């Protein structure tokens, strides 16, 4: 495949997988003396996936939005005839640099990306406006805003987290059917900050027909949240007292969410989603005690054992192993899986989010994953991993 054909296929794939972070056209040699660069990114405009082009001139920016086929035609035009000689295409885990030499041939260079980030699909004008009506009563009941709709200073971090969470989810939710009522379950909903915000966003901003259930162990929180939902006339939002492991949904769960559910409660939540073949599973794991105990118990002898005498590395090791095995299990069941930083570690160290989008199961891949799971568990001395056991993948 020629470098330029590779650019086109990677560009198409980046749109399809929605992991195209940024595309930059530079080194302009064309006739427009003031034109410097063109910056291109994926955006959702009225729920349609588009590409936003910012043409940077010496003294102004001009923005134009295109659908994917017009976008490619425009890029071809800008590079072939209008003289941009460099293209850099950034996706979640790589940057491809293409450079056209004087003879007109394209050369290609690949760069790894150090830290994966999610693609923010919201249009600049929409940023920070996920929850548009700050006067809504639930925001006051949750102590996020005052009576005039101003976010309290002490709630600024929480507010950022809520908005960021909706940004991340909205790109995955955009892939789900819009014409049917979505059954969403939020496991370990706590005081319901994220549950209320998600419901409000889906109902008010996207006019999506949804049923949202928050599952929470603490009775006082469940009572409080149900009262707030009632006061807000959020008729399709309910909170149920009970444990994640014993929760029995009345209908098939389309979207399974579990944010900061402790230790193996995250595994129980993922397992519920897998049993229902939920279209989307989103978890932000919390503590990782179960696998940590296994590591401490078996003390496997391997090339990495010298690290594990330090508590902090043992902790991180347990976290990475627990969550990467969770991601593998999701892949086993045909989920396209992404692992990303959820919130900045300034706000909380519990900031990894695993997002699984249901696709087809691939039996060959399943065989490989089973072998991989077995060898990882043996190598690291993990006698059991809760999710692997629930799924019966260790038999
Ligand atoms: C750290 S809070 C997170 C709340 C919310 N999801 C968020 O991210 O803001 C975890 C909540 O999950 C609940 N929880 C933990 N394990 C649970 C389980 N096994 N079943 C039901 N609720 C659980 C706790 O009571 C707590 O309210």
């Amino acid at each position: 495949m020629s470098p330029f054909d590779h650019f086109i296929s990677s560009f198409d794939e980046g749109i399809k997988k929605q992991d195209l972070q940024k595309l930059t056209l530079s080194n302009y040699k064309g006739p427009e003396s003031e034109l410097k660069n063109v910056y291109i990114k994926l955006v959702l405009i009225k729920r349609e996936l588009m590409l936003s082009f910012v043409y940077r001139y010496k003294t102004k920016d001009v923005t134009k939005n295109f659908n994917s086929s017009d976008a490619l035609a425009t890029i071809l035009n800008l590079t072939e005839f209008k003289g941009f000689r460099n293209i850099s295409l950034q996706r979640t885990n790589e940057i491809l640099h293409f450079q056209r030499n004087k003879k007109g041939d394209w050369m290609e260079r690949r760069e790894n990306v150090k830290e994966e980030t999610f693609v923010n699909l919201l249009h600049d004008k929409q940023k920070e406006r996920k929850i548009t009506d700050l006067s809504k009563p639930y925001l006051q009941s949750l102590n996020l805003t005052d009576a005039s709709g101003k976010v309290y200073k002490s709630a600024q971090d929480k507010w950022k987290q809520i908005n960021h969470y909706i940004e991340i989810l909205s790109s995955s939710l955009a892939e789900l059917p819009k014409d049917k009522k979505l059954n969403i379950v939020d496991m370990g909903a706590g005081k319901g900050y994220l549950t209320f915000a998600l419901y409000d966003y889906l109902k008010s901003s996207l006019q999506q027909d949804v049923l949202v259930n928050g599952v929470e162990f603490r009775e006082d929180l469940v009572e409080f949240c149900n009262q707030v939902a009632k006061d807000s006339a959020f008729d399709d939002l309910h909170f149920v007292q009970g444990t994640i492991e014993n929760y029995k949904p009345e209908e098939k769960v389309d979207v399974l969410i579990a944010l900061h559910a402790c230790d193996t409660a995250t595994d129980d939540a993922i397992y519920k989603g897998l049993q229902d073949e939920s279209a989307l599973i989103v978890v932000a794991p919390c503590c990782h005690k179960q696998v940590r105990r296994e590591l401490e118990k078996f003390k496997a002898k391997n090339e990495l054992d010298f690290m594990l005498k330090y508590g902090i590395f043992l902790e991180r090791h347990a976290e990475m192993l627990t969550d990467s095995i969770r991601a593998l299990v999701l892949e086993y069941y045909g989920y396209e899986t992404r692992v990303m930083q959820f919130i900045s570690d300034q706000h909380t160290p519990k900031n990894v989010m695993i997002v699984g989008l249901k696709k087809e199961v691939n039996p060959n891949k399943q065989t490989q994953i089973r072998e991989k799971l077995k060898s990882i568990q043996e190598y690291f001395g993990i006698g059991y991993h809760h999710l692997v056991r629930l799924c019966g993948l260790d038999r």
Side-chain angles (χ1 to χ4, degrees), residues 39-60:
Y39 301 103
I40 302 159
K41 64 176 185 172
L42 278 175
V43 288
L44 269 183
I45 300 175
K46 295 196 181 132
R47 306 189 71 191
E48 194 185 336
L49 198 58
M50 305 279 283
L51 286 115
S52 166
F53 283 51
V54 175
Y55 292 72
R56 178 141 305 159
Y57 290 88
K58 206 167 168 188
T59 54
K60 63 176 181 187

mmCIF file with all atom_site columns, all heavy atoms in Angstrom, residues 39-60:
data_model
loop_
_atom_site.group_PDB
_atom_site.id
_atom_site.type_symbol
_atom_site.label_atom_id
_atom_site.label_alt_id
_atom_site.label_comp_id
_atom_site.label_asym_id
_atom_site.label_entity_id
_atom_site.label_seq_id
_atom_site.pdbx_PDB_ins_code
_atom_site.Cartn_x
_atom_site.Cartn_y
_atom_site.Cartn_z
_atom_site.occupancy
_atom_site.B_iso_or_equiv
_atom_site.pdbx_formal_charge
_atom_site.auth_seq_id
_atom_site.auth_comp_id
_atom_site.auth_asym_id
_atom_site.auth_atom_id
_atom_site.pdbx_PDB_model_num
ATOM 1   N N   . TYR A 1 39 ? -6.570  22.585 10.550 1.00 0.00 ? 39 TYR A N   1
ATOM 2   C CA  . TYR A 1 39 ? -6.724  21.632 11.662 1.00 0.00 ? 39 TYR A CA  1
ATOM 3   C C   . TYR A 1 39 ? -8.096  20.975 11.544 1.00 0.00 ? 39 TYR A C   1
ATOM 4   O O   . TYR A 1 39 ? -9.112  21.658 11.408 1.00 0.00 ? 39 TYR A O   1
ATOM 5   C CB  . TYR A 1 39 ? -6.615  22.343 13.012 1.00 0.00 ? 39 TYR A CB  1
ATOM 6   C CG  . TYR A 1 39 ? -5.303  23.045 13.198 1.00 0.00 ? 39 TYR A CG  1
ATOM 7   C CD1 . TYR A 1 39 ? -5.207  24.428 13.053 1.00 0.00 ? 39 TYR A CD1 1
ATOM 8   C CD2 . TYR A 1 39 ? -4.144  22.331 13.495 1.00 0.00 ? 39 TYR A CD2 1
ATOM 9   C CE1 . TYR A 1 39 ? -3.987  25.080 13.211 1.00 0.00 ? 39 TYR A CE1 1
ATOM 10  C CE2 . TYR A 1 39 ? -2.936  22.971 13.654 1.00 0.00 ? 39 TYR A CE2 1
ATOM 11  C CZ  . TYR A 1 39 ? -2.857  24.349 13.507 1.00 0.00 ? 39 TYR A CZ  1
ATOM 12  O OH  . TYR A 1 39 ? -1.645  24.992 13.647 1.00 0.00 ? 39 TYR A OH  1
ATOM 13  N N   . ILE A 1 40 ? -8.072  19.636 11.600 1.00 0.00 ? 40 ILE A N   1
ATOM 14  C CA  . ILE A 1 40 ? -9.320  18.896 11.366 1.00 0.00 ? 40 ILE A CA  1
ATOM 15  C C   . ILE A 1 40 ? -9.586  17.971 12.542 1.00 0.00 ? 40 ILE A C   1
ATOM 16  O O   . ILE A 1 40 ? -8.681  17.299 13.035 1.00 0.00 ? 40 ILE A O   1
ATOM 17  C CB  . ILE A 1 40 ? -9.184  18.066 10.062 1.00 0.00 ? 40 ILE A CB  1
ATOM 18  C CG1 . ILE A 1 40 ? -8.876  19.009 8.889  1.00 0.00 ? 40 ILE A CG1 1
ATOM 19  C CG2 . ILE A 1 40 ? -10.450 17.250 9.792  1.00 0.00 ? 40 ILE A CG2 1
ATOM 20  C CD1 . ILE A 1 40 ? -8.251  18.325 7.705  1.00 0.00 ? 40 ILE A CD1 1
ATOM 21  N N   . LYS A 1 41 ? -10.831 17.934 12.994 1.00 0.00 ? 41 LYS A N   1
ATOM 22  C CA  . LYS A 1 41 ? -11.154 16.978 14.068 1.00 0.00 ? 41 LYS A CA  1
ATOM 23  C C   . LYS A 1 41 ? -12.593 16.501 13.921 1.00 0.00 ? 41 LYS A C   1
ATOM 24  O O   . LYS A 1 41 ? -13.409 17.131 13.228 1.00 0.00 ? 41 LYS A O   1
ATOM 25  C CB  . LYS A 1 41 ? -10.929 17.600 15.442 1.00 0.00 ? 41 LYS A CB  1
ATOM 26  C CG  . LYS A 1 41 ? -11.824 18.764 15.741 1.00 0.00 ? 41 LYS A CG  1
ATOM 27  C CD  . LYS A 1 41 ? -11.584 19.246 17.150 1.00 0.00 ? 41 LYS A CD  1
ATOM 28  C CE  . LYS A 1 41 ? -12.600 20.349 17.433 1.00 0.00 ? 41 LYS A CE  1
ATOM 29  N NZ  . LYS A 1 41 ? -12.663 20.812 18.752 1.00 0.00 ? 41 LYS A NZ  1
ATOM 30  N N   . LEU A 1 42 ? -12.859 15.376 14.599 1.00 0.00 ? 42 LEU A N   1
ATOM 31  C CA  . LEU A 1 42 ? -14.220 14.817 14.589 1.00 0.00 ? 42 LEU A CA  1
ATOM 32  C C   . LEU A 1 42 ? -15.104 15.602 15.539 1.00 0.00 ? 42 LEU A C   1
ATOM 33  O O   . LEU A 1 42 ? -14.679 15.934 16.635 1.00 0.00 ? 42 LEU A O   1
ATOM 34  C CB  . LEU A 1 42 ? -14.189 13.372 15.095 1.00 0.00 ? 42 LEU A CB  1
ATOM 35  C CG  . LEU A 1 42 ? -13.805 12.281 14.117 1.00 0.00 ? 42 LEU A CG  1
ATOM 36  C CD1 . LEU A 1 42 ? -13.717 10.955 14.857 1.00 0.00 ? 42 LEU A CD1 1
ATOM 37  C CD2 . LEU A 1 42 ? -14.821 12.167 12.993 1.00 0.00 ? 42 LEU A CD2 1
ATOM 38  N N   . VAL A 1 43 ? -16.321 15.882 15.108 1.00 0.00 ? 43 VAL A N   1
ATOM 39  C CA  . VAL A 1 43 ? -17.276 16.552 15.999 1.00 0.00 ? 43 VAL A CA  1
ATOM 40  C C   . VAL A 1 43 ? -18.660 15.937 15.807 1.00 0.00 ? 43 VAL A C   1
ATOM 41  O O   . VAL A 1 43 ? -18.946 15.347 14.760 1.00 0.00 ? 43 VAL A O   1
ATOM 42  C CB  . VAL A 1 43 ? -17.389 18.079 15.724 1.00 0.00 ? 43 VAL A CB  1
ATOM 43  C CG1 . VAL A 1 43 ? -16.160 18.825 16.170 1.00 0.00 ? 43 VAL A CG1 1
ATOM 44  C CG2 . VAL A 1 43 ? -17.705 18.366 14.257 1.00 0.00 ? 43 VAL A CG2 1
ATOM 45  N N   . LEU A 1 44 ? -19.466 16.069 16.823 1.00 0.00 ? 44 LEU A N   1
ATOM 46  C CA  . LEU A 1 44 ? -20.873 15.663 16.685 1.00 0.00 ? 44 LEU A CA  1
ATOM 47  C C   . LEU A 1 44 ? -21.672 16.939 16.530 1.00 0.00 ? 44 LEU A C   1
ATOM 48  O O   . LEU A 1 44 ? -21.643 17.795 17.408 1.00 0.00 ? 44 LEU A O   1
ATOM 49  C CB  . LEU A 1 44 ? -21.347 14.968 17.954 1.00 0.00 ? 44 LEU A CB  1
ATOM 50  C CG  . LEU A 1 44 ? -21.217 13.469 18.071 1.00 0.00 ? 44 LEU A CG  1
ATOM 51  C CD1 . LEU A 1 44 ? -21.824 13.018 19.393 1.00 0.00 ? 44 LEU A CD1 1
ATOM 52  C CD2 . LEU A 1 44 ? -21.899 12.735 16.933 1.00 0.00 ? 44 LEU A CD2 1
ATOM 53  N N   . ILE A 1 45 ? -22.360 17.062 15.416 1.00 0.00 ? 45 ILE A N   1
ATOM 54  C CA  . ILE A 1 45 ? -23.209 18.248 15.253 1.00 0.00 ? 45 ILE A CA  1
ATOM 55  C C   . ILE A 1 45 ? -24.630 17.746 15.037 1.00 0.00 ? 45 ILE A C   1
ATOM 56  O O   . ILE A 1 45 ? -24.878 16.980 14.107 1.00 0.00 ? 45 ILE A O   1
ATOM 57  C CB  . ILE A 1 45 ? -22.739 19.122 14.066 1.00 0.00 ? 45 ILE A CB  1
ATOM 58  C CG1 . ILE A 1 45 ? -21.293 19.574 14.319 1.00 0.00 ? 45 ILE A CG1 1
ATOM 59  C CG2 . ILE A 1 45 ? -23.658 20.326 13.897 1.00 0.00 ? 45 ILE A CG2 1
ATOM 60  C CD1 . ILE A 1 45 ? -20.679 20.336 13.186 1.00 0.00 ? 45 ILE A CD1 1
ATOM 61  N N   . LYS A 1 46 ? -25.513 18.144 15.916 1.00 0.00 ? 46 LYS A N   1
ATOM 62  C CA  . LYS A 1 46 ? -26.892 17.641 15.899 1.00 0.00 ? 46 LYS A CA  1
ATOM 63  C C   . LYS A 1 46 ? -26.894 16.129 15.769 1.00 0.00 ? 46 LYS A C   1
ATOM 64  O O   . LYS A 1 46 ? -27.584 15.558 14.942 1.00 0.00 ? 46 LYS A O   1
ATOM 65  C CB  . LYS A 1 46 ? -27.694 18.284 14.777 1.00 0.00 ? 46 LYS A CB  1
ATOM 66  C CG  . LYS A 1 46 ? -27.868 19.771 14.968 1.00 0.00 ? 46 LYS A CG  1
ATOM 67  C CD  . LYS A 1 46 ? -28.960 20.311 14.090 1.00 0.00 ? 46 LYS A CD  1
ATOM 68  C CE  . LYS A 1 46 ? -29.087 21.801 14.301 1.00 0.00 ? 46 LYS A CE  1
ATOM 69  N NZ  . LYS A 1 46 ? -29.146 22.582 13.124 1.00 0.00 ? 46 LYS A NZ  1
ATOM 70  N N   . ARG A 1 47 ? -26.032 15.487 16.543 1.00 0.00 ? 47 ARG A N   1
ATOM 71  C CA  . ARG A 1 47 ? -25.919 14.031 16.650 1.00 0.00 ? 47 ARG A CA  1
ATOM 72  C C   . ARG A 1 47 ? -25.381 13.378 15.385 1.00 0.00 ? 47 ARG A C   1
ATOM 73  O O   . ARG A 1 47 ? -25.412 12.169 15.233 1.00 0.00 ? 47 ARG A O   1
ATOM 74  C CB  . ARG A 1 47 ? -27.257 13.405 17.060 1.00 0.00 ? 47 ARG A CB  1
ATOM 75  C CG  . ARG A 1 47 ? -27.796 14.047 18.326 1.00 0.00 ? 47 ARG A CG  1
ATOM 76  C CD  . ARG A 1 47 ? -28.976 13.321 18.850 1.00 0.00 ? 47 ARG A CD  1
ATOM 77  N NE  . ARG A 1 47 ? -28.579 12.040 19.403 1.00 0.00 ? 47 ARG A NE  1
ATOM 78  C CZ  . ARG A 1 47 ? -29.440 11.104 19.751 1.00 0.00 ? 47 ARG A CZ  1
ATOM 79  N NH1 . ARG A 1 47 ? -30.714 11.309 19.595 1.00 0.00 ? 47 ARG A NH1 1
ATOM 80  N NH2 . ARG A 1 47 ? -29.028 9.970  20.260 1.00 0.00 ? 47 ARG A NH2 1
ATOM 81  N N   . GLU A 1 48 ? -24.900 14.190 14.432 1.00 0.00 ? 48 GLU A N   1
ATOM 82  C CA  . GLU A 1 48 ? -24.302 13.599 13.233 1.00 0.00 ? 48 GLU A CA  1
ATOM 83  C C   . GLU A 1 48 ? -22.784 13.762 13.302 1.00 0.00 ? 48 GLU A C   1
ATOM 84  O O   . GLU A 1 48 ? -22.281 14.834 13.679 1.00 0.00 ? 48 GLU A O   1
ATOM 85  C CB  . GLU A 1 48 ? -24.859 14.285 11.987 1.00 0.00 ? 48 GLU A CB  1
ATOM 86  C CG  . GLU A 1 48 ? -24.543 13.492 10.748 1.00 0.00 ? 48 GLU A CG  1
ATOM 87  C CD  . GLU A 1 48 ? -24.987 14.208 9.481  1.00 0.00 ? 48 GLU A CD  1
ATOM 88  O OE1 . GLU A 1 48 ? -25.897 15.052 9.546  1.00 0.00 ? 48 GLU A OE1 1
ATOM 89  O OE2 . GLU A 1 48 ? -24.397 13.930 8.435  1.00 0.00 ? 48 GLU A OE2 1
ATOM 90  N N   . LEU A 1 49 ? -22.079 12.679 12.949 1.00 0.00 ? 49 LEU A N   1
ATOM 91  C CA  . LEU A 1 49 ? -20.624 12.725 12.991 1.00 0.00 ? 49 LEU A CA  1
ATOM 92  C C   . LEU A 1 49 ? -20.107 13.520 11.789 1.00 0.00 ? 49 LEU A C   1
ATOM 93  O O   . LEU A 1 49 ? -20.401 13.174 10.645 1.00 0.00 ? 49 LEU A O   1
ATOM 94  C CB  . LEU A 1 49 ? -20.099 11.291 12.952 1.00 0.00 ? 49 LEU A CB  1
ATOM 95  C CG  . LEU A 1 49 ? -18.678 11.075 13.399 1.00 0.00 ? 49 LEU A CG  1
ATOM 96  C CD1 . LEU A 1 49 ? -18.461 11.553 14.828 1.00 0.00 ? 49 LEU A CD1 1
ATOM 97  C CD2 . LEU A 1 49 ? -18.323 9.600  13.300 1.00 0.00 ? 49 LEU A CD2 1
ATOM 98  N N   . MET A 1 50 ? -19.371 14.591 12.071 1.00 0.00 ? 50 MET A N   1
ATOM 99  C CA  . MET A 1 50 ? -18.867 15.451 11.001 1.00 0.00 ? 50 MET A CA  1
ATOM 100 C C   . MET A 1 50 ? -17.373 15.712 11.244 1.00 0.00 ? 50 MET A C   1
ATOM 101 O O   . MET A 1 50 ? -16.832 15.358 12.299 1.00 0.00 ? 50 MET A O   1
ATOM 102 C CB  . MET A 1 50 ? -19.583 16.816 11.027 1.00 0.00 ? 50 MET A CB  1
ATOM 103 C CG  . MET A 1 50 ? -21.076 16.775 10.976 1.00 0.00 ? 50 MET A CG  1
ATOM 104 S SD  . MET A 1 50 ? -21.685 16.558 9.308  1.00 0.00 ? 50 MET A SD  1
ATOM 105 C CE  . MET A 1 50 ? -21.488 18.188 8.622  1.00 0.00 ? 50 MET A CE  1
ATOM 106 N N   . LEU A 1 51 ? -16.742 16.342 10.257 1.00 0.00 ? 51 LEU A N   1
ATOM 107 C CA  . LEU A 1 51 ? -15.359 16.770 10.469 1.00 0.00 ? 51 LEU A CA  1
ATOM 108 C C   . LEU A 1 51 ? -15.311 18.285 10.403 1.00 0.00 ? 51 LEU A C   1
ATOM 109 O O   . LEU A 1 51 ? -15.799 18.892 9.456  1.00 0.00 ? 51 LEU A O   1
ATOM 110 C CB  . LEU A 1 51 ? -14.437 16.136 9.431  1.00 0.00 ? 51 LEU A CB  1
ATOM 111 C CG  . LEU A 1 51 ? -14.263 14.651 9.793  1.00 0.00 ? 51 LEU A CG  1
ATOM 112 C CD1 . LEU A 1 51 ? -14.850 13.778 8.729  1.00 0.00 ? 51 LEU A CD1 1
ATOM 113 C CD2 . LEU A 1 51 ? -12.830 14.322 10.083 1.00 0.00 ? 51 LEU A CD2 1
ATOM 114 N N   . SER A 1 52 ? -14.731 18.847 11.453 1.00 0.00 ? 52 SER A N   1
ATOM 115 C CA  . SER A 1 52 ? -14.642 20.301 11.528 1.00 0.00 ? 52 SER A CA  1
ATOM 116 C C   . SER A 1 52 ? -13.246 20.718 11.051 1.00 0.00 ? 52 SER A C   1
ATOM 117 O O   . SER A 1 52 ? -12.239 20.250 11.570 1.00 0.00 ? 52 SER A O   1
ATOM 118 C CB  . SER A 1 52 ? -14.870 20.723 12.975 1.00 0.00 ? 52 SER A CB  1
ATOM 119 O OG  . SER A 1 52 ? -14.487 22.053 13.131 1.00 0.00 ? 52 SER A OG  1
ATOM 120 N N   . PHE A 1 53 ? -13.203 21.571 10.033 1.00 0.00 ? 53 PHE A N   1
ATOM 121 C CA  . PHE A 1 53 ? -11.937 22.059 9.478  1.00 0.00 ? 53 PHE A CA  1
ATOM 122 C C   . PHE A 1 53 ? -11.735 23.506 9.955  1.00 0.00 ? 53 PHE A C   1
ATOM 123 O O   . PHE A 1 53 ? -12.595 24.352 9.713  1.00 0.00 ? 53 PHE A O   1
ATOM 124 C CB  . PHE A 1 53 ? -11.993 22.110 7.938  1.00 0.00 ? 53 PHE A CB  1
ATOM 125 C CG  . PHE A 1 53 ? -11.856 20.776 7.258  1.00 0.00 ? 53 PHE A CG  1
ATOM 126 C CD1 . PHE A 1 53 ? -12.641 19.697 7.621  1.00 0.00 ? 53 PHE A CD1 1
ATOM 127 C CD2 . PHE A 1 53 ? -10.943 20.620 6.205  1.00 0.00 ? 53 PHE A CD2 1
ATOM 128 C CE1 . PHE A 1 53 ? -12.514 18.473 6.974  1.00 0.00 ? 53 PHE A CE1 1
ATOM 129 C CE2 . PHE A 1 53 ? -10.808 19.409 5.544  1.00 0.00 ? 53 PHE A CE2 1
ATOM 130 C CZ  . PHE A 1 53 ? -11.602 18.325 5.926  1.00 0.00 ? 53 PHE A CZ  1
ATOM 131 N N   . VAL A 1 54 ? -10.608 23.759 10.625 1.00 0.00 ? 54 VAL A N   1
ATOM 132 C CA  . VAL A 1 54 ? -10.285 25.151 10.964 1.00 0.00 ? 54 VAL A CA  1
ATOM 133 C C   . VAL A 1 54 ? -9.139  25.573 10.043 1.00 0.00 ? 54 VAL A C   1
ATOM 134 O O   . VAL A 1 54 ? -8.030  25.028 10.120 1.00 0.00 ? 54 VAL A O   1
ATOM 135 C CB  . VAL A 1 54 ? -9.876  25.299 12.451 1.00 0.00 ? 54 VAL A CB  1
ATOM 136 C CG1 . VAL A 1 54 ? -9.437  26.727 12.744 1.00 0.00 ? 54 VAL A CG1 1
ATOM 137 C CG2 . VAL A 1 54 ? -11.027 24.891 13.357 1.00 0.00 ? 54 VAL A CG2 1
ATOM 138 N N   . TYR A 1 55 ? -9.436  26.515 9.147  1.00 0.00 ? 55 TYR A N   1
ATOM 139 C CA  . TYR A 1 55 ? -8.419  27.049 8.233  1.00 0.00 ? 55 TYR A CA  1
ATOM 140 C C   . TYR A 1 55 ? -7.747  28.207 8.964  1.00 0.00 ? 55 TYR A C   1
ATOM 141 O O   . TYR A 1 55 ? -8.386  29.211 9.261  1.00 0.00 ? 55 TYR A O   1
ATOM 142 C CB  . TYR A 1 55 ? -9.068  27.572 6.952  1.00 0.00 ? 55 TYR A CB  1
ATOM 143 C CG  . TYR A 1 55 ? -9.680  26.495 6.078  1.00 0.00 ? 55 TYR A CG  1
ATOM 144 C CD1 . TYR A 1 55 ? -10.845 25.840 6.462  1.00 0.00 ? 55 TYR A CD1 1
ATOM 145 C CD2 . TYR A 1 55 ? -9.090  26.156 4.853  1.00 0.00 ? 55 TYR A CD2 1
ATOM 146 C CE1 . TYR A 1 55 ? -11.412 24.857 5.652  1.00 0.00 ? 55 TYR A CE1 1
ATOM 147 C CE2 . TYR A 1 55 ? -9.646  25.175 4.043  1.00 0.00 ? 55 TYR A CE2 1
ATOM 148 C CZ  . TYR A 1 55 ? -10.806 24.528 4.452  1.00 0.00 ? 55 TYR A CZ  1
ATOM 149 O OH  . TYR A 1 55 ? -11.365 23.562 3.662  1.00 0.00 ? 55 TYR A OH  1
ATOM 150 N N   . ARG A 1 56 ? -6.486  28.046 9.305  1.00 0.00 ? 56 ARG A N   1
ATOM 151 C CA  . ARG A 1 56 ? -5.790  29.109 10.046 1.00 0.00 ? 56 ARG A CA  1
ATOM 152 C C   . ARG A 1 56 ? -5.038  30.010 9.063  1.00 0.00 ? 56 ARG A C   1
ATOM 153 O O   . ARG A 1 56 ? -4.083  29.571 8.397  1.00 0.00 ? 56 ARG A O   1
ATOM 154 C CB  . ARG A 1 56 ? -4.838  28.508 11.069 1.00 0.00 ? 56 ARG A CB  1
ATOM 155 C CG  . ARG A 1 56 ? -4.052  29.562 11.826 1.00 0.00 ? 56 ARG A CG  1
ATOM 156 C CD  . ARG A 1 56 ? -3.889  29.225 13.273 1.00 0.00 ? 56 ARG A CD  1
ATOM 157 N NE  . ARG A 1 56 ? -5.146  28.978 13.936 1.00 0.00 ? 56 ARG A NE  1
ATOM 158 C CZ  . ARG A 1 56 ? -5.267  28.288 15.069 1.00 0.00 ? 56 ARG A CZ  1
ATOM 159 N NH1 . ARG A 1 56 ? -4.213  27.790 15.643 1.00 0.00 ? 56 ARG A NH1 1
ATOM 160 N NH2 . ARG A 1 56 ? -6.452  28.100 15.620 1.00 0.00 ? 56 ARG A NH2 1
ATOM 161 N N   . TYR A 1 57 ? -5.524  31.234 8.976  1.00 0.00 ? 57 TYR A N   1
ATOM 162 C CA  . TYR A 1 57 ? -4.844  32.240 8.157  1.00 0.00 ? 57 TYR A CA  1
ATOM 163 C C   . TYR A 1 57 ? -3.997  33.095 9.094  1.00 0.00 ? 57 TYR A C   1
ATOM 164 O O   . TYR A 1 57 ? -4.111  32.989 10.321 1.00 0.00 ? 57 TYR A O   1
ATOM 165 C CB  . TYR A 1 57 ? -5.877  33.107 7.435  1.00 0.00 ? 57 TYR A CB  1
ATOM 166 C CG  . TYR A 1 57 ? -6.621  32.363 6.349  1.00 0.00 ? 57 TYR A CG  1
ATOM 167 C CD1 . TYR A 1 57 ? -7.774  31.648 6.643  1.00 0.00 ? 57 TYR A CD1 1
ATOM 168 C CD2 . TYR A 1 57 ? -6.149  32.378 5.034  1.00 0.00 ? 57 TYR A CD2 1
ATOM 169 C CE1 . TYR A 1 57 ? -8.452  30.955 5.651  1.00 0.00 ? 57 TYR A CE1 1
ATOM 170 C CE2 . TYR A 1 57 ? -6.834  31.685 4.037  1.00 0.00 ? 57 TYR A CE2 1
ATOM 171 C CZ  . TYR A 1 57 ? -7.981  30.973 4.349  1.00 0.00 ? 57 TYR A CZ  1
ATOM 172 O OH  . TYR A 1 57 ? -8.645  30.288 3.377  1.00 0.00 ? 57 TYR A OH  1
ATOM 173 N N   . LYS A 1 58 ? -3.175  33.958 8.511  1.00 0.00 ? 58 LYS A N   1
ATOM 174 C CA  . LYS A 1 58 ? -2.275  34.781 9.330  1.00 0.00 ? 58 LYS A CA  1
ATOM 175 C C   . LYS A 1 58 ? -3.063  35.558 10.395 1.00 0.00 ? 58 LYS A C   1
ATOM 176 O O   . LYS A 1 58 ? -2.665  35.633 11.546 1.00 0.00 ? 58 LYS A O   1
ATOM 177 C CB  . LYS A 1 58 ? -1.529  35.742 8.409  1.00 0.00 ? 58 LYS A CB  1
ATOM 178 C CG  . LYS A 1 58 ? -0.215  36.193 8.938  1.00 0.00 ? 58 LYS A CG  1
ATOM 179 C CD  . LYS A 1 58 ? 0.571   36.868 7.849  1.00 0.00 ? 58 LYS A CD  1
ATOM 180 C CE  . LYS A 1 58 ? 1.764   37.584 8.419  1.00 0.00 ? 58 LYS A CE  1
ATOM 181 N NZ  . LYS A 1 58 ? 2.420   38.393 7.405  1.00 0.00 ? 58 LYS A NZ  1
ATOM 182 N N   . THR A 1 59 ? -4.221  36.110 10.016 1.00 0.00 ? 59 THR A N   1
ATOM 183 C CA  . THR A 1 59 ? -4.934  36.978 10.968 1.00 0.00 ? 59 THR A CA  1
ATOM 184 C C   . THR A 1 59 ? -6.335  36.489 11.331 1.00 0.00 ? 59 THR A C   1
ATOM 185 O O   . THR A 1 59 ? -7.079  37.171 12.007 1.00 0.00 ? 59 THR A O   1
ATOM 186 C CB  . THR A 1 59 ? -5.077  38.396 10.374 1.00 0.00 ? 59 THR A CB  1
ATOM 187 O OG1 . THR A 1 59 ? -5.683  38.250 9.086  1.00 0.00 ? 59 THR A OG1 1
ATOM 188 C CG2 . THR A 1 59 ? -3.759  39.100 10.265 1.00 0.00 ? 59 THR A CG2 1
ATOM 189 N N   . LYS A 1 60 ? -6.744  35.338 10.827 1.00 0.00 ? 60 LYS A N   1
ATOM 190 C CA  . LYS A 1 60 ? -8.109  34.878 11.156 1.00 0.00 ? 60 LYS A CA  1
ATOM 191 C C   . LYS A 1 60 ? -8.194  33.354 11.053 1.00 0.00 ? 60 LYS A C   1
ATOM 192 O O   . LYS A 1 60 ? -7.340  32.714 10.418 1.00 0.00 ? 60 LYS A O   1
ATOM 193 C CB  . LYS A 1 60 ? -9.143  35.518 10.204 1.00 0.00 ? 60 LYS A CB  1
ATOM 194 C CG  . LYS A 1 60 ? -8.926  35.115 8.755  1.00 0.00 ? 60 LYS A CG  1
ATOM 195 C CD  . LYS A 1 60 ? -9.975  35.650 7.816  1.00 0.00 ? 60 LYS A CD  1
ATOM 196 C CE  . LYS A 1 60 ? -9.671  35.160 6.412  1.00 0.00 ? 60 LYS A CE  1
ATOM 197 N NZ  . LYS A 1 60 ? -10.412 35.641 5.349  1.00 0.00 ? 60 LYS A NZ  1
#
